[in-house]
């Protein structure tokens, strides 16, 4: 069973709203579903995170737990790990629709209890699932559209010889020693690509060429929106310097999880690992 809806926000912003724990925890309450993160994830869900839900269907309490198996700019998928159904899979797929994003939300499940379960499936479960899907799309739409006007901060995933450049914070004290991608605010009159080039020159004393995007947007606690671009060094022999940071380092895909990333960058690690592992 599936439902679709248009969101007045770019795809990567809609993808962030889809991954946000607020969508799972608050977006379904008015249809009688309560949810919470069972594994204490970051603000944005990543593969391996689990969500626990409770609902009442025909006055019967139902509890289930799902695990995220995909969470990226193309959508989100989860599978059942505990609950009364023999099987359940939820898939959300995002597609560009001009300045808007098309969200297709679908649930596939197996009904329990033989003939009685099939009757309940037709009479009760299908109607309930349609309400849940409509509520999810509305929740994603509200969140994404409220983020659409936020100021953008760019991050930069510089890849060279199969490795990613990371930089270690020197300040403020609470963040000192942690790692992040280069970047900063997009200034008035700048494009995001211009900001990528300027920030890398200021922070690393190297010139880069933006080449694309990686991951979803990430909402920041300061009310801004982090948007990460990929880039390459204009001079392959150039050595990035820690101009404003404590240290810089080139990191391989299997080393990404070893670093103590800032929270906003940590949720990008699965996408960065995929970027580095691509042929």
């Amino acid at each position: 069973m599936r439902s679709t809806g248009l969101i007045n926000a770019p795809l990567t912003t809609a993808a962030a709203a889809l991954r946000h724990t607020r969508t799972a925890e608050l977006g379904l309450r008015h249809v009688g579903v309560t949810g919470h993160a069972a594994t204490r994830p970051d603000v944005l869900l990543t593969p391996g995170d689990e969500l626990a839900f409770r609902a009442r269907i025909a006055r019967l309490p139902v509890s289930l737990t799902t695990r995220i198996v995909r969470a990226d700019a193309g959508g989100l998928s989860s599978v059942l790990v505990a609950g009364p159904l023999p099987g359940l899979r939820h898939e959300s797929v995002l597609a560009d629709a001009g300045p808007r994003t098309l969200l297709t939300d679908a649930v596939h499940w197996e009904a329990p209890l033989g003939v009685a379960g099939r009757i309940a499936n037709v009479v009760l479960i299908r109607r309930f699932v349609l309400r849940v899907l409509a509520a999810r799309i509305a929740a994603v739409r509200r969140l994404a559209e409220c983020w659409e006007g936020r100021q953008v901060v760019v991050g930069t995933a510089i890849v060279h010889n199969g490795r990613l450049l990371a930089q270690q914070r020197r300040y403020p004290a609470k963040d000192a020693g942690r790692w992040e991608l280069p970047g900063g605010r997009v200034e008035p009159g700048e494009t995001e690509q211009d900001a990528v080039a300027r920030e890398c020159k200021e922070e690393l004393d190297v010139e880069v060429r933006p080449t694309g995007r990686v991951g979803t947007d990430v909402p920041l606690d300061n009310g801004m929106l982090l948007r990460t671009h990929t880039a390459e060094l204009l001079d392959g022999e150039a050595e990035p310097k820690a101009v404003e940071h404590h240290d810089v380092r080139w990191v391989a895909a299997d080393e990404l999880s070893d670093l103590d990333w800032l929270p906003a960058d940590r949720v990008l690690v699965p996408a960065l690992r995929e970027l580095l592992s691509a042929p």
Side-chain angles (χ1 to χ4, degrees):
M1 181 166 290
R2 68 181 57 192
S3 185
T4 61
L6 282 170
I7 299 169
N8 291 311
L11 185 145
T12 53
T13 306
L18 187 64
R19 295 175 62 188
H20 202 285
T21 53
R22 192 185 311 169
T23 296
E25 294 176 350
L26 304 179
L28 305 179
R29 286 189 174 180
H30 76 279
V31 293
V33 179
T34 59
H36 70 275
T39 51
R40 298 184 180 274
D42 290 299
V43 171
L44 297 189
L45 297 167
T46 58
D49 289 333
E50 293 186 357
L51 297 169
F53 296 95
R54 289 189 176 185
R56 297 187 73 84
I57 303 177
R59 299 184 181 181
L60 296 175
V62 176
S63 299
L64 55 86
T65 301
T66 62
R67 179 179 297 128
I68 304 298
V69 294
R70 175 195 179 190
D72 54 36
L76 181 144
S77 300
S78 63
V79 295
L80 183 72
V81 294
L85 299 175
L88 180 146
R89 183 177 180 88
H90 172 225
E91 295 181 285
S92 300
V93 178
L94 298 167
D96 275 316
R100 299 187 292 179
T101 300
L102 177 67
L103 169 59
T104 301
D105 220 14
V107 176
H108 313 270
W109 72 92
E110 300 173 39
L113 304 177
V115 174
R118 288 194 292 273
I119 294 173
N121 182 46
V122 173
V123 176
L124 300 172
I125 300 177
R126 290 173 65 87
R127 184 183 306 169
F128 175 76
V129 169
L130 280 175
R131 291 173 57 217
V132 169
L133 291 177
R136 275 184 51 80
I137 291 174
V140 173
R141 180 184 295 118
R142 285 193 300 270
L143 203 53
E145 292 179 359
C146 83
W147 290 341
E148 168 61 4
R150 286 189 172 192
Q151 184 176 357
V152 172
V153 173
V154 292
T156 311
I158 304 173
V159 177
H160 184 63
N161 292 333
R163 293 175 178 263
L164 174 78
L165 186 79
Q167 57 184 16
Q168 189 178 39
R169 292 294 294 262
R170 178 182 295 164
Y171 58 85
K174 66 181 182 65
D175 295 329
R178 306 186 78 179
W179 294 83
E180 66 177 357
L181 298 178
R185 299 186 187 191
V186 178
E187 300 295 346
E190 275 189 322
T191 65
E192 292 178 23
Q193 291 77 11
D194 289 341
V196 165
R198 175 182 54 76
E199 289 287 345
C200 289
K201 182 62 177 176
E202 292 175 357
E203 295 186 352
L204 303 168
D205 194 28
V206 293
E207 295 183 345
V208 303
R209 177 190 298 112
T211 56
R213 292 286 313 279
V214 62
T216 69
D217 293 350
V218 180
L220 302 178
D221 292 340
N222 61 8
M224 298 183 183
L225 201 64
L226 173 64
R227 190 166 287 161
T228 304
H229 292 251
T230 57
E232 61 185 12
L233 296 172
L234 283 178
D235 178 0
E237 302 300 319
E239 290 290 340
K241 304 177 183 65
V243 177
E244 300 178 352
H245 288 68
H246 178 70
D247 195 11
V248 295
R249 127 180 211 195
W250 293 104
V251 186
D254 60 0
E255 299 173 313
L256 289 170
S257 297
D258 297 337
L259 299 187
D260 181 17
W261 294 95
L262 291 173
D265 296 80
R266 184 170 58 237
V267 298
L268 293 166
V269 166
L272 295 172
R273 184 179 294 113
E274 185 174 338
L275 175 68
L276 293 180
S277 301

